[in-house]
């Protein structure tokens, strides 16, 4: 069998985490089997579908690296195909006209609910004899659900059986002549030769309906795989209250695309105890045999851990490109940043959990002056530290090669001459350079900062200490 999978989102919102995982599993399965991955936009809901949402889905897929081989196809452009299949069903006697209005159907469902009955269509139009009197009345076309049951084997859930009595005679064509979701999906998957339908397990009831339509239309059934849903830490269905749930939101928060891909792959699937996977490994190792039947629980802390891992492992040049937009959002001039950003990134990547945090941590490199944290300045910018600052200003300023090796030589000479440990030197200097007590390694920070800025900040610290009465008016 030639493997052809698909991802078929509705453009009524952004690409959310659940949809992204479905797309990923479909993409992995196709790539593993040398098949095709098709992207289809199910935009039959004209009122809720938007171009903005479509673009957000496409952008999210591209950012995750989930490239499609065919498409995107739009259901709104496939009307002729649907009409032809509706005609086949009419001619074969599978459809009947339903003249019930929306208001009547709503009232009957509410009545059934009050009586504790299933709120399904009661089939009253199936045997109507007054159709000639209704010649000019609007009508929908309903599918005659046969007696019996639907049985299918799911790649994750195993054998599933649903009684046809639980399925109402579904509308396939609305009174305004627009086709409905279940009908369009069957026609699309069949005419696009989709071999494996991979989607969330909230679609199991739809699968039973769709199998009836496959059989009525004479189409070959695909293989089905229904993924368990994703829950929040409180075991409720994942929603906005659990944090950012759209792919684009995670991009905006500074997550790397493969960190999210890696996390989503492990959300319901496993390969032993392995946690870190390259794309090639995921393609090679992925199997529905190892997809759990229980719902996955979304763990933001684990995703953050993975993101920190990939930041550490990413080349500095790649991180530079990714980090620049976050710095520009904070007001940093792009041209200025780009000129020395790769060296700055190398000092920050070991500690950063996301790009947004990294950008904020990098700001001291781009400010004309720093604002000292009160506790840090009171502890470290004192008169007794003046000799340290003056020595470093003079010796570092004289360096021809301002790199970590030469900078460390200067620090070692100072420590020997003044009989000090590195901590007694590094912390005051760190406050002078950054305004606080937390920064990357002091040698790396100095090199990334550059001689001119480093000397300027040492001078500012000296001036601060030497002018205790004019500090309120001074900028550092």
């Amino acid at each position: 069998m030639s493997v052809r999978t698909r991802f078929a989102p509705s453009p009524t919102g952004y690409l959310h985490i659940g949809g992204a995982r479905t797309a990923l599993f479909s993409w992995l399965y196709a790539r593993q089997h040398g098949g095709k991955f098709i992207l289809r936009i199910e935009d039959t809901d004209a009122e809720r579908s938007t171009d903005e949402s479509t673009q957000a889905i496409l952008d999210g897929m591209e950012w995750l690296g989930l490239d499609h081989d065919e498409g995107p196809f739009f259901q709104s452009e496939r009307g002729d195909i649907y009409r032809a299949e509706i005609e086949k069903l009419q001619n074969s006697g599978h459809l009947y006209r339903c003249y019930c209005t929306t208001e009547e159907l709503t009232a009957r469902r509410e009545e059934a609910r009050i009586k504790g009955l299933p709120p399904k269509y009661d089939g009253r139009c199936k045997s109507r004899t007054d159709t000639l009197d209704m010649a000019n009345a609007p009508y929908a076309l309903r599918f005659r659900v046969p007696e019996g049951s639907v049985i299918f084997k799911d790649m994750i859930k195993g054998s599933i059986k649903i009684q046809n009595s639980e399925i109402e005679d579904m509308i396939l064509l609305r009174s305004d002549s627009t086709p409905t979701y279940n009908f369009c999906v069957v026609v699309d998957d069949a005419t696009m030769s989709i071999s494996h339908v991979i989607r969330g397990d909230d679609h199991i009831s739809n699968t039973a309906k769709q199998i009836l339509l496959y059989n009525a239309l004479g189409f070959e059934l695909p293989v089905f795989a229904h993924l368990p849903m994703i829950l929040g830490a409180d075991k409720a269905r994942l929603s906005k209250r659990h944090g950012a749930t759209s792919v684009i939101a995670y991009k905006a928060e500074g997550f790397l695309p493969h960190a999210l891909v890696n996390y989503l792959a492990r959300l319901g699937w496993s390969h032993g105890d392995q946690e870190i996977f390259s794309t090639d490994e995921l393609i090679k190792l992925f199997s529905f045999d190892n997809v759990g039947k229980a719902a996955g629980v979304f763990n933001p802390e684990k995703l953050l851990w993975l993101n920190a891992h990939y930041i550490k492992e990413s080349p500095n040049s790649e991180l530079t490109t990714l980090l620049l937009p976050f710095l520009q959002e904070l007001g940093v001039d792009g041209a200025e940043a780009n000129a020395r950003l790769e060296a700055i990134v190398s000092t920050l990547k070991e500690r950063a959990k996301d790009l947004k945090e990294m950008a904020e941590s990098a700001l001291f490199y781009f400010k004309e002056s720093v604002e000292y944290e009160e506790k840090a300045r009171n502890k470290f910018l004192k008169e007794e530290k003046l000799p340290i600052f003056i020595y470093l200003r003079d010796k570092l300023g004289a360096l021809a090669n301002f790199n970590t090796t030469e900078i460390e030589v200067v620090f070692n000479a100072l420590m020997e001459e003044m009989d000090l440990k590195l901590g007694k030197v590094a912390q005051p200097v760190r406050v002078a350079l950054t305004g606080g007590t937390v920064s990357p390694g002091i040698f790396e920070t100095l090199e990334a900062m550059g001689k001119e800025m480093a000397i300027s900040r040492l001078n500012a610290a000296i001036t601060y200490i030497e002018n205790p009465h004019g500090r309120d008016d001074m900028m550092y």
Side-chain angles (χ1 to χ4, degrees):
M1 177 191 296
S2 177
V3 170
R4 289 174 62 84
T5 67
R6 49 70 157 179
F7 178 53
S10 298
T12 56
Y14 296 104
L15 177 62
H16 55 79
I17 288 298
R21 186 187 64 165
T22 298
L24 172 63
F25 284 16
S26 297
W27 183 86
L28 288 173
Y29 195 78
R31 292 289 172 264
Q32 183 182 76
H33 291 85
K36 301 292 184 182
F37 176 63
I38 291 86
L39 178 60
R40 185 172 74 231
I41 305 297
E42 298 188 338
D43 57 347
T44 52
D45 188 343
E47 291 185 4
R48 297 176 61 218
S49 298
T50 66
D51 292 339
E52 179 186 12
S53 293
T54 298
Q55 191 58 52
I57 291 168
L58 296 176
D59 291 344
M61 296 281 287
E62 181 179 7
W63 183 67
L64 291 173
L66 304 181
D67 57 319
H68 50 275
D69 302 297
E70 297 177 18
F73 299 106
F74 293 84
Q75 286 185 333
S76 58
E77 299 173 357
R78 294 170 59 79
D80 290 344
I81 298 173
Y82 303 139
R83 281 187 286 273
E85 298 302 327
I86 283 287
E87 187 175 344
K88 289 181 184 178
L89 291 176
Q90 281 183 296
N91 292 338
S92 59
H94 285 91
L95 304 182
Y96 65 88
R97 294 182 180 187
C98 176
Y99 295 92
C100 301
T101 66
T102 301
E103 292 75 19
E104 289 171 338
L105 293 172
T106 301
R108 286 182 211 141
R109 286 195 175 93
E110 179 61 18
E111 182 180 347
R113 187 191 66 79
I114 293 173
K115 293 179 179 179
L117 300 173
K120 56 180 287 190
Y121 180 63
D122 59 12
R124 66 180 58 195
C125 286
K126 188 182 298 187
S127 303
R128 289 185 73 146
T129 57
D130 59 348
T131 53
L132 291 178
D133 299 330
M134 305 290 291
N136 296 318
Y139 61 87
L141 290 178
R142 285 188 182 271
F143 178 77
R144 297 178 188 272
V145 173
E147 295 182 354
S149 60
V150 172
I151 302 174
F152 66 96
K153 185 176 181 181
D154 186 89
M155 284 201 293
I156 298 171
K157 306 288 186 180
S159 181
I160 296 176
K161 180 177 180 179
I162 297 176
Q163 296 295 330
N164 290 3
S165 58
E166 299 176 21
I167 304 172
E168 72 174 9
D169 288 355
M170 50 194 147
I171 292 176
L172 301 192
L173 195 72
R174 302 181 185 92
S175 58
D176 62 0
S177 296
T178 58
T180 56
Y181 168 78
N182 280 307
F183 173 70
C184 292
V185 168
V186 170
V187 173
D188 288 339
D189 285 341
T191 57
M192 293 179 184
S193 302
I194 301 301
S195 63
H196 294 75
V197 172
I198 301 160
R199 56 192 177 194
D201 60 7
D202 54 334
H203 281 282
I204 287 178
S205 60
N206 283 330
T207 298
K209 298 173 185 177
Q210 291 168 16
I211 287 175
L212 294 176
L213 296 178
Y214 273 102
N215 293 336
L217 288 163
F219 292 142
E220 183 179 350
L221 289 179
V223 178
F224 294 99
H226 290 90
L227 305 174
M229 68 175 61
I230 301 174
L231 305 178
D234 58 359
K235 302 302 173 68
R237 187 165 183 170
L238 194 66
S239 65
K240 290 182 180 179
R241 73 175 182 275
H242 295 107
T245 58
S246 78
V247 167
I248 295 301
Y250 281 102
K251 179 182 180 182
E253 288 297 314
F255 285 81
L256 303 190
H258 192 67
L260 187 55
V261 166
N262 193 152
Y263 181 75
L264 291 176
R266 284 286 288 110
L267 195 56
W269 170 81
S270 63
H271 180 73
D273 295 327
Q274 186 173 343
E275 294 288 351
I276 308 296
F277 296 87
S278 67
T279 300
D280 288 342
E281 284 179 310
L282 287 175
I283 291 172
K284 178 182 178 181
L285 299 173
F286 180 78
S287 168
F288 282 106
D289 293 338
N290 294 324
V291 173
K293 296 180 181 180
V297 177
F298 190 83
N299 184 342
E301 293 302 317
K302 186 173 180 181
L303 173 57
L304 205 58
W305 172 79
L306 271 172
N307 200 56
H309 167 81
Y310 282 107
I311 287 176
K312 290 177 186 177
E313 296 298 315
S314 295
N316 293 339
S317 57
E318 180 180 317
L319 284 178
T320 296
T321 301
L322 294 172
L323 184 63
L324 190 58
F326 290 90
L327 284 169
Q328 289 174 308
E329 284 185 14
L330 294 174
V332 175
D333 178 77
E336 177 195 351
N338 208 33
R340 54 196 182 97
L341 190 52
E342 193 165 330
I344 290 171
V345 161
S346 69
T347 71
L348 300 170
K349 62 190 292 186
E350 291 298 320
R351 294 170 174 261
K353 293 180 180 178
D354 59 62
L355 296 174
K356 195 172 183 179
E357 177 189 87
M358 184 186 282
E360 292 167 352
S361 300
L363 280 179
F364 73 85
Y365 282 114
F366 301 101
K367 292 180 177 179
E368 291 185 11
S369 59
V370 294
E371 181 178 344
Y372 304 130
E373 296 173 4
E374 183 178 0
K375 187 176 179 180
R377 76 188 183 194
N378 291 341
K379 183 175 181 179
F380 294 107
L381 300 187
K382 299 190 294 188
E383 188 172 355
E384 65 195 59
K385 306 296 184 184
L386 263 178
I388 294 175
F389 294 127
I390 293 172
Y391 182 98
L392 290 175
R393 178 195 62 186
D394 296 342
K395 297 298 184 180
L396 292 175
L399 290 178
N401 297 311
F402 200 75
N403 55 47
T404 54
T405 301
E406 297 300 320
I407 291 169
E408 186 174 1
V409 169
V410 170
F411 270 71
N412 288 336
L414 178 149
M415 290 185 290
E416 184 175 350
E417 185 174 321
M418 297 186 182
D419 192 24
L420 295 171
K421 299 292 185 181
L422 180 59
K424 295 292 185 180
V425 177
Q427 266 317 59
V429 174
R430 185 170 281 113
V431 174
L433 298 178
T434 71
T437 57
V438 179
S439 81
I442 197 66
F443 307 143
E444 292 78 12
T445 299
L446 281 161
E447 180 180 18
M449 187 171 281
K451 184 197 289 189
E452 182 179 347
M453 180 178 288
I455 300 306
S456 172
R457 294 198 178 169
L458 289 171
N459 272 325
I462 292 168
T463 302
Y464 177 87
I465 295 171
E466 292 179 335
N467 294 271
H469 301 297
R471 290 174 181 175
D472 290 343
D473 300 322
M474 296 175 67
M475 295 293 291
Y476 303 98

